[in-house]
Amino acid sequence: MPPTAKVPDTKAPGRQDPGAQAPGARKTTYREAMREALREALRTDDRVFLMGEDVGKYGGCFGVSLGLLEEFGPERIRDTPLSESAFVGAGIGAALAGLRPVVEIMTVNFSLLALDQILNNAATLLHMSGGQLPVPLVIRMTTGAGRQLAAQHSHSLEGWYAHIPGIRVLAPATVEDARYMLAPALADPDPVLIFEHGSLYNASGELPEEPVPLALDSAAIRRPGEDVSVITYGGSLPKALAAADELATAGISAEVIDLRSLRPLDEATIVDSVARTHRAVVVDEAWRTGSLAAEVSARIMERAFYELDAPVERVCSAEVPIPYAQRLEQAALPQTEDIVAAARRAVG
């Protein structure tokens, strides 16, 4: 277990969109939105259950499932042994049997202990059975750094999973996506991996009272712009938006694209944005070598090369294990000032 106490349900200050609260919306946190999504799934479908380490009485390592055990009981909220391979395998079996399991893995680093189950079983069975064996499994896991949890709890490995055919990879970065991505993920016949950046759980935002239909394979333009496209996802989105604010003070209009889906990638939104701005900065908290940022850059070069007025810039983490010391950790991660500098270079 990470060396941290359970995070309470406090609303930490975070970057908010300017303006008053929209009519029909309410403020909530990313953590609370995830819990609402789980509660709705459990209430509306008896086949849904949650399983993972400490998801029951403890409420999950990051407090997402707090209170669900008391509401739905131990048959629906199942604490598991400390064996990722075993409980992910059990989730695959339950999905094959017609249930809709939601499996929580404490951090992405620990998911590597279940990589054989995810890659060789969950991702392949529908294909190998000629469509007879769908695996409607959702796996949630915390990703990312910035919380002083050191190298075994802090890496961003979602790009590895985006390499695997047969699964869908999602990275909700907003309260709205945290609330409304789970239902369509549970309806998907293929396994869906949802990566929740640990820095976002306390972030607050506006949540529409009415359900928002989401297309799981589409990116979102979080801020329109004309001079440079800043393409990112997950925990780096607040930094990209802050960078766009700073660039605006210098007369540079940055368009911020939230990928949301890492597999499949929404190429059309990326290419259309670059065709408008003619410059691109890709921000990815993972390591630069073999990264998702490299994939996005390659696709821009393949489909929008003649639209570019400058080389594609990439802002990634330093290629070291994530340090524990706070200053070293912050130095290793992409920061707002790094995104600003990359955009300035692109604009020239």
Side-chain angles (χ1 to χ4, degrees):
M1 182 182 299
T4 56
K6 181 168 58 184
V7 182
D9 274 318
T10 56
K11 294 186 178 181
R15 185 195 183 280
Q16 301 298 322
D17 290 332
Q21 183 169 318
R26 58 186 170 85
K27 283 290 184 69
T28 190
T29 67
Y30 187 98
R31 175 187 293 105
E32 292 163 349
M34 291 296 309
R35 187 184 303 129
E36 284 185 31
L38 286 167
R39 180 178 286 113
E40 179 188 61
L42 289 159
R43 283 178 176 172
T44 57
D45 190 341
D46 290 339
R47 299 173 299 172
V48 174
F49 69 96
L50 174 68
M51 64 189 300
E53 298 164 357
D54 290 323
V55 300
K57 186 175 181 180
Y58 191 72
C61 185
F62 296 94
V64 171
S65 57
L66 196 65
L68 296 183
L69 174 64
E70 291 77 9
E71 186 173 350
F72 297 99
E75 292 296 312
R76 308 282 303 281
I77 309 297
R78 294 183 170 232
D79 281 322
T80 65
L82 296 172
S83 176
E84 284 75 12
S85 180
F87 64 75
V88 171
I92 294 170
L96 289 168
L99 299 178
R100 294 294 185 269
V102 179
V103 174
E104 178 178 313
I105 299 177
M106 196 175 291
T107 76
V108 64
N109 298 69
F110 300 154
S111 73
L112 300 184
L113 297 167
L115 186 56
D116 174 61
Q117 295 283 14
I118 296 169
L119 171 60
N120 287 325
N121 290 310
T124 61
L125 289 174
L126 183 65
H127 171 78
M128 294 177 67
S129 66
Q132 299 178 78
L133 296 175
V135 185
L137 166 72
V138 172
I139 302 176
R140 299 175 40 246
M141 62 187 94
T142 303
T143 188
R147 295 159 291 128
Q148 283 192 275
L149 296 180
Q152 293 177 329
H153 302 82
S154 300
H155 290 134
S156 296
L157 306 180
E158 49 273 14
W160 293 10
Y161 290 99
H163 178 67
I164 302 172
I167 62 175
R168 184 186 295 275
V169 179
L170 305 177
T174 66
V175 165
E176 187 174 300
D177 281 359
R179 174 63 180 87
Y180 293 115
M181 273 188 175
L182 181 61
L186 282 166
D188 198 297
D190 286 325
V192 179
L193 274 58
I194 300 178
F195 289 89
E196 304 161 17
H197 198 284
S199 69
L200 295 175
Y201 285 122
N202 280 341
S204 61
E206 291 184 4
L207 186 65
E209 290 291 353
E210 296 297 322
V212 177
L214 294 180
L216 293 184
D217 54 0
S218 64
I221 299 175
R222 299 299 184 190
R223 176 180 178 134
E226 300 175 354
D227 298 325
V228 58
S229 300
V230 179
I231 303 160
T232 191
Y233 67 91
S236 294
L237 178 62
K239 297 177 181 179
L241 291 169
D245 287 343
E246 185 173 336
L247 289 164
T249 65
I252 299 173
S253 174
E255 181 155 287
V256 178
I257 306 296
D258 176 7
L259 292 174
R260 304 166 83 214
S261 171
L262 309 186
R263 185 180 185 96
L265 283 170
D266 181 1
E267 285 190 15
T269 297
I270 296 169
V271 171
D272 288 348
S273 178
V274 172
R276 288 192 301 272
T277 68
H278 307 291
R279 301 166 184 86
V281 175
V282 186
V283 184
D284 182 2
E285 195 175 298
W287 297 301
R288 180 185 182 91
T289 301
S291 62
L292 188 73
E295 177 66 24
V296 173
S297 300
R299 297 199 188 194
I300 292 171
M301 296 299 287
E302 288 170 349
R303 295 196 52 193
F305 176 78
Y306 292 105
E307 301 288 352
L308 290 170
D309 288 343
V312 175
E313 294 276 349
R314 287 191 286 159
V315 181
C316 301
S317 287
E319 304 222 353
V320 297
I322 298 298
Y324 169 75
Q326 186 177 43
R327 290 186 179 181
L328 292 176
E329 182 183 37
Q330 293 302 310
L333 299 175
Q335 301 296 347
T336 297
E337 55 267 28
D338 302 316
I339 303 170
V340 169
R344 286 179 174 275
R345 286 195 300 269
V347 173

